[in-house]
Amino acid sequence: MCGMKQSILAVGKGLEKGMNVLKVFTGYMIFLFMALLFLQVIMRFVFNSPIYGIDEAVTAMMIWSMCLGWCTVYWDNEHAILEFIMKKMPKWFRKIIFNLTNLLILVISYVYIPAGYTLFNMQKKMPPVGGLPFCKAYYYALPVLVMGILMFVLCLYKTIAFLITGDESICVPEEKEGGGVLD
């Protein structure tokens, strides 16, 4: 069991590194789409000369950043929880709630995968519009598909890791420098 626990924790460290890269990438993407949005507002309302394609590029980056951002929020346990209530509950109750929550997320993520794939194939047949050289499938459906796959993998890992290790830090937010969990 000790070897299995170490293997699970090693996989978790690898996922943590990948999610840290994803957080940085998503942060830069958000900064870029906000800068482009600001530029477009200035060009449209000050110079009366909007730049063709920026609106669609901002939409694409916004959708991608929100889908990837949701995965990072889930991984860091920063989603909305009633932690102050959970702390007062017995350990067996917290285990049940965590596993039920993970089961729900696994099912939803699993549903996103074929739905995103079907939507992608439907939208791929449409011609590009709005100034981008590719169709909306790449920024409407593909992010949902990628989010579904990532969430499924992350949730599957957390479920297995929690069952094997019993470590509650897998399912509750950690206090971090610059801010912490509200009690």
Side-chain angles (χ1 to χ4, degrees):
M1 185 67 136
C2 189
M4 184 182 290
K5 190 174 179 179
Q6 288 176 337
S7 298
I8 287 290
L9 295 175
V11 169
K13 286 180 182 179
L15 286 171
E16 179 70 31
K17 287 179 183 178
M19 293 311 291
N20 285 336
V21 169
L22 193 60
K23 280 185 238 179
V24 170
F25 175 74
T26 304
Y28 281 125
M29 189 183 305
I30 292 170
F31 174 79
L32 182 59
F33 86 67
M34 293 300 289
L36 287 173
L37 189 59
F38 177 75
L39 174 66
Q40 184 72 332
V41 168
I42 297 296
M43 294 303 294
R44 183 180 309 269
F45 295 107
V46 174
F47 298 106
N48 200 25
S49 180
I51 301 171
Y52 181 68
I54 285 189
D55 294 329
E56 284 297 306
V58 165
T59 300
M61 286 187 277
M62 186 182 299
I63 294 169
W64 270 104
S65 66
M66 295 308 117
C67 286
L68 296 176
W70 170 240
C71 295
T72 64
V73 165
Y74 172 74
W75 180 254
D76 287 340
N77 296 310
E78 294 172 339
H79 47 288
I81 59 170
L82 299 174
E83 186 181 358
F84 63 95
I85 293 173
M86 291 299 286
K87 281 184 177 180
K88 297 184 185 316
M89 295 296 155
K91 189 172 184 164
W92 65 266
F93 182 79
R94 290 192 305 261
K95 278 184 156 184
I96 290 170
I97 293 300
F98 178 67
N99 285 312
L100 285 175
T101 303
N102 267 353
L103 180 63
L104 180 64
I105 293 170
L106 275 171
V107 169
I108 291 170
S109 299
Y110 181 75
V111 168
Y112 275 138
I113 295 169
Y117 183 73
T118 301
L119 186 60
F120 179 79
N121 285 328
M122 286 171 38
Q123 289 180 345
K124 199 166 67 169
K125 298 171 186 164
M126 301 170 74
V129 293
L132 293 180
F134 44 84
C135 68
K136 289 184 177 188
Y138 292 97
Y139 58 95
Y140 276 9
L142 190 58
V144 173
L145 176 61
V146 170
M147 178 187 70
I149 293 168
L150 279 173
M151 285 298 295
F152 188 79
V153 168
L154 295 174
C155 188
L156 190 62
Y157 168 78
K158 281 188 170 196
T159 302
I160 293 168
F162 183 69
L163 289 172
I164 290 174
T165 66
D167 184 5
E168 284 196 10
S169 69
I170 293 169
C171 58
V172 295
E174 295 177 14
E175 291 189 36
K176 296 181 181 173
E177 188 176 327
V181 178
L182 295 175
D183 288 28

